[in-house]
């Protein structure tokens, strides 16, 4: 006897578990990152933390999309892209503000946060890879997390430069670099939604 329906419900449950875990981890790292960015006066950490918090909201919407029709999934992906665009502009504005007013970023905290965030994102990325072909909403989440890994590396490198050279201007530059990554992932998600081939 065929059990296609059974396989479908198991797949939906697997997606639900993976996305729920991703939501919790991203929300937690977003809160930790906001605190770390305040303590370290770091635009890079702030950009990374807000990005993860935005991803958490996207995962919440993805949870609603799991098991729904393709139209709802496309709307979830578009919402994720829209939030990323707003986030990117906010990061650029904050980086410009700190560039003009000055700040005292603390390199060791930047590096420590980025390492923890990298481990979390790598775990989430590996789990999302298992279900990314389940629809544009899940693939959008995968693309967001893939960009987060690059953002973590950016913050780590910037923190090292700040720590060992004292060049504080590197921090807002790192924030802008993360904003560029965010714009790129938003563009890729919207392009994939348009032609139905998010990769």
């Amino acid at each position: 006897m065929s059990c296609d329906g059974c396989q479908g419900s198991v797949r939906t449950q697997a997606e639900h578990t993976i996305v729920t875990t991703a939501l919790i981890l991203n929300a937690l790292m977003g809160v930790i990152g906001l605190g770390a960015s305040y303590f370290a006066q770091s635009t890079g950490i702030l950009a990374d933390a807000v990005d993860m918090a935005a991803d958490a909201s996207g995962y919440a919407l993805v949870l609603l999309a799991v098991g729904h029709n393709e139209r709802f999934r496309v709307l979830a992906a578009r919402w994720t892209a829209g939030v990323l665009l707003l986030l990117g502009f906010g990061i650029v504005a904050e980086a410009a503000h700190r560039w003009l007013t000055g700040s005292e970023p603390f390199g060791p905290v930047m590096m420590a946060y980025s390492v923890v965030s990298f481990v979390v994102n790598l775990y989430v990325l590996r789990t999302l890879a298992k279900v990314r072909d389940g629809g544009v909403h899940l693939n959008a989440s995968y693309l967001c997390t893939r960009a987060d890994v690059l953002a973590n590396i950016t913050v780590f490198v910037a923190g090292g430069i700040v720590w060992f050279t004292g060049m504080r201007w590197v921090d807002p530059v790192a924030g802008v670099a993360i904003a560029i990554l965010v714009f790129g992932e938003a563009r890729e998600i919207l392009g994939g939604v348009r032609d139905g081939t998010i990769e």
Side-chain angles (χ1 to χ4, degrees):
M1 181 178 68
S2 173
C3 195
D4 291 340
C6 298
Q7 292 174 354
S9 59
V10 169
R11 174 60 181 269
T12 301
Q13 181 58 45
E15 291 173 354
H16 189 278
T17 300
I18 288 173
V19 175
T20 298
T21 301
L23 189 161
I24 293 171
L25 289 174
N26 273 264
L28 180 62
M29 290 306 302
V31 172
I32 293 173
L34 290 175
S37 70
Y38 177 80
F39 177 77
Q41 297 186 44
S42 170
T43 305
I45 294 179
L46 179 63
D48 198 354
V50 174
D51 189 12
M52 295 193 77
D55 287 350
S57 70
Y59 291 134
L61 194 58
V62 167
L63 284 177
L64 295 177
V66 171
H68 286 71
N69 60 37
E70 189 63 16
R71 175 178 169 78
F72 191 92
R73 295 177 182 184
V74 168
L75 288 175
R78 286 176 174 166
W79 171 266
T80 300
V83 170
L84 289 171
L85 288 173
L86 290 175
L87 167 66
F89 286 118
I91 293 172
V92 171
E94 179 62 20
H97 171 73
R98 296 203 179 192
W99 180 280
L100 294 173
T101 61
S103 61
E104 297 288 337
F106 189 45
V109 174
M110 294 174 66
M111 297 178 74
Y113 173 79
S114 64
V115 168
V116 176
S117 187
F118 177 83
V119 171
V120 169
N121 279 317
L122 198 59
Y123 170 77
V124 172
L125 187 68
R126 291 181 62 184
T127 57
L128 285 173
K130 301 174 183 177
V131 297
R132 64 175 296 195
D133 60 347
V136 292
H137 61 308
L138 289 167
N139 211 15
S141 297
Y142 176 86
L143 293 174
C144 288
T145 305
R146 187 178 66 182
D148 287 347
V149 170
L150 296 176
N152 299 151
I153 295 172
T154 300
V155 174
F156 182 83
V157 172
I161 294 174
V162 169
W163 189 9
F164 292 108
T165 70
M167 294 190 296
R168 294 186 291 272
W169 57 267
V170 173
D171 178 57
V173 170
V176 173
I178 293 174
I180 292 172
L181 288 174
V182 167
F183 288 136
E185 62 184 292
R187 179 190 60 79
E188 189 171 358
I189 290 170
L190 290 174
V193 167
R194 184 175 60 252
D195 57 28
T197 58
I198 293 181
E199 295 293 339

